[in-house]
């Protein structure tokens, strides 16, 4: 595609619910990253995929967060038992190996 | 792990003046330093980057300098314009063949006509 696409753009959910956020990277980009951006802060690294495998998940805050990329293209970030502190903009980025990161517009998650 | 500090948090300049944003990093193994511009509600977009094998890079009104010894890098914008108003983020990448970017907290730049 022309750019990194993320859906939904906005998600409002209640505390304790399960949420899935989807990222469709630029075609041909082997690397995919998830970041979380809280208001007034820089993006915070969550996880990185090279192909289908999670090469570095050191930024996932706890075991409620999980991400998959089963076919090496689209990725889904999954958050279980959401908490109010999970409210943020979740940014996805993709790149060629060692190249510039291209970001999507993000999914704004609000947990009530 | 890597830690990136960014200053100032806000910067207000008159149109035509220069703006300088400074960052420091902690991991001496970091070798890639991009700068991103983020307008309100939009995605971060790369404006310039530098790798550790050079000390300075320039692209029209934007330049970046890197001091590896001091672990400092800076963004310089000359002849600022109102459309330069945005939040700017510096980042540093841990080495390892991919760009796991660690971002600073951002600088909100306001350029007044």
């Amino acid at each position: 595609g022309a750019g990194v696409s993320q859906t939904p753009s906005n998600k409002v959910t209640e505390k304790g619910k399960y949420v899935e956020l989807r990222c469709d990277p630029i075609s041909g980009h082997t690397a995919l990253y998830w970041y979380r951006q809280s208001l007034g802060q820089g993006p915070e690294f969550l996880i990185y995929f090279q192909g289908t495998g999670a090469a570095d998940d050191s930024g996932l805050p706890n075991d409620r967060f999980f991400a998959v990329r089963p076919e090496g293209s689209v990725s889904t970030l999954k958050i279980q038992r959401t908490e109010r502190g999970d409210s943020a903009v979740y940014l996805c980025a993709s790149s060629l190996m060692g190249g510039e990161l291209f970001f999507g517009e993000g999914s704004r998650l609000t947990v009530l | 792990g890597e830690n990136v500090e960014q200053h100032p948090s806000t910067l207000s300049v008159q149109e035509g003046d220069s703006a300088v944003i400074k960052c420091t990093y902690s991991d001496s193994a970091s070798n890639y330093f991009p700068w991103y511009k983020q307008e309100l509600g939009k995605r971060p977009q790369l404006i310039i980057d530098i790798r550790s094998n050079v000390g300075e890079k320039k692209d029209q009104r934007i330049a970046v300098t890197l001091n590896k010894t001091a672990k400092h890098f800076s963004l310089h914008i000359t002849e600022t314009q109102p459309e330069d108003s945005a939040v700017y983020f510096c980042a540093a990448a841990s080495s390892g063949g991919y760009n796991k970017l660690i971002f600073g907290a951002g600088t909100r730049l306001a350029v007044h006509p």
Side-chain angles (χ1 to χ4, degrees):
Chain A
V4 178
S5 177
Q6 292 188 245
T7 55
S9 56
N10 279 285
K11 175 70 176 179
V12 180
T13 191
E14 293 180 343
K15 179 175 179 292
K17 299 291 188 183
Y18 170 80
V19 166
E20 287 190 352
L21 307 175
R22 175 189 166 107
C23 173
D24 198 343
I26 292 172
S27 178
H29 280 191
T30 54
L32 185 146
Y33 310 76
W34 283 100
Y35 282 81
R36 177 169 69 175
Q37 187 173 27
S38 300
L39 192 64
Q41 298 296 316
E44 172 193 6
F45 172 80
L46 296 178
I47 187 169
Y48 153 75
F49 288 90
Q50 180 60 31
T52 60
D56 185 338
D57 64 357
S58 61
L60 294 178
N62 51 59
D63 61 5
R64 294 187 298 105
F65 289 76
F66 189 71
V68 296
R69 194 186 186 199
E71 298 179 354
S73 179
V74 171
S75 176
T76 304
L77 179 66
K78 307 180 180 193
I79 310 174
Q80 297 178 321
R81 304 183 304 280
T82 51
E83 300 178 356
R84 292 194 180 89
D86 299 335
S87 296
V89 175
Y90 289 82
L91 292 166
C92 177
S94 70
S95 76
L96 295 171
M97 186 65 172
E100 173 189 348
L101 270 66
F102 293 85
F103 282 87
E105 294 282 2
S107 292
R108 180 178 298 276
L109 175 65
T110 303
V111 181
L112 301 177
Chain B
E2 177 64 276
N3 182 52
V4 177
E5 300 282 343
Q6 183 171 348
H7 301 279
S9 57
T10 60
L11 181 57
S12 182
V13 300
Q14 290 297 124
E15 182 177 2
D17 287 351
S18 294
V20 180
I21 303 170
K22 299 182 179 182
C23 289
T24 61
Y25 62 98
S26 62
D27 187 353
S28 57
S30 290
N31 57 7
Y32 175 61
F33 307 92
W35 286 86
Y36 281 81
K37 176 183 181 181
Q38 188 175 33
E39 296 178 356
L40 189 62
K42 300 294 186 182
R43 71 187 76 197
Q45 292 191 295
L46 181 74
I47 55 170
I48 195 167
D49 57 12
I50 192 168
R51 295 191 183 271
S52 59
N53 57 343
V54 298
E56 185 172 357
K57 184 176 178 181
K58 188 173 182 180
D59 182 3
Q60 299 183 347
R61 297 186 296 109
I62 295 172
V64 57
T65 59
L66 171 65
N67 182 329
K68 286 180 58 181
T69 302
K71 297 182 194 168
H72 289 174
F73 57 115
S74 300
L75 177 71
H76 304 252
I77 306 174
T78 58
E79 301 170 30
T80 53
Q81 301 167 3
E83 52 265 39
D84 294 331
S85 297
V87 180
Y88 291 80
F89 294 98
C90 63
S94 301
S95 56
Y98 69 97
N99 291 329
K100 173 184 173 180
L101 298 180
I102 304 301
F103 284 84
T107 296
R108 182 173 299 279
L109 174 64
V111 181
H112 302 285

